[in-house]
Amino acid sequence: MRNITWEELEAWVRKENGTSPKKALTRATELNKDLDVTGDDAVDFMQHFFDAFSIDHGDYSFDRYFVAEGFSPVELILLLVSKKKRASYDRPPVTLGMLYQAALDGQWNCSRLESLLHP
């Protein structure tokens, strides 16, 4: 385990994402839902995270956690009418707790980090 504090991670997230100091950040805070880190922004955010904290990418895959940007009008209609299509967009969230644990471990390990979602 490395010596990184929660406060260091929180400060980095606030700076990287432009998050207001008034917004409460917890280990349960989700990048996508709570901080609006999606699409190309998520690509950049996660790469900067790996670089800033010298984390081995391990088994991290963008597609496991995020949906790429860009919708066609047909895709939008299918999302509205098809449960199966909507389900194809379901992804496990990336939480700040997961980022913190990865920073402590120095590596992204999907099963370890996703186990934090269901304590």
Side-chain angles (χ1 to χ4, degrees):
M1 285 260 254
R2 299 174 334 154
N3 188 22
I4 296 169
T5 66
W6 169 257
E7 290 75 21
E8 289 174 300
L9 176 75
E10 183 180 350
W12 182 86
V13 168
R14 287 185 189 286
K15 182 178 179 188
E16 181 69 23
N17 192 50
T19 304
S20 166
K22 295 179 182 181
K23 181 170 181 69
L25 297 180
T26 68
R27 285 168 171 74
T29 300
E30 296 180 18
L31 292 185
N32 188 332
K33 186 173 82 175
D34 301 318
L35 300 179
D36 198 31
V37 176
T38 60
D40 292 342
D41 292 338
V43 171
D44 293 340
F45 182 95
M46 291 302 293
Q47 186 58 56
H48 294 165
F49 168 71
F50 287 119
D51 293 345
F53 292 96
S54 300
I55 297 169
D56 180 332
H57 284 69
D59 58 358
Y60 172 81
S61 167
F62 173 85
D63 294 327
R64 181 180 184 101
Y65 298 103
F66 300 99
V67 176
E69 283 191 10
F71 282 104
S72 71
V74 172
E75 184 96 4
L76 225 47
I77 292 168
L78 288 173
L79 282 171
L80 293 172
V81 298
S82 169
K83 287 182 184 178
K84 185 176 179 181
K85 187 66 171 172
R86 283 191 301 276
S88 74
Y89 280 85
D90 288 343
R91 305 284 194 276
V94 174
T95 66
L96 297 190
M98 293 167 70
L99 295 182
Y100 183 54
Q101 189 62 57
L104 291 174
D105 294 345
Q107 178 182 18
W108 192 273
N109 178 313
C110 292
S111 62
R112 174 168 166 69
L113 299 174
E114 290 172 21
S115 74
L116 301 173
L117 298 172
H118 312 286

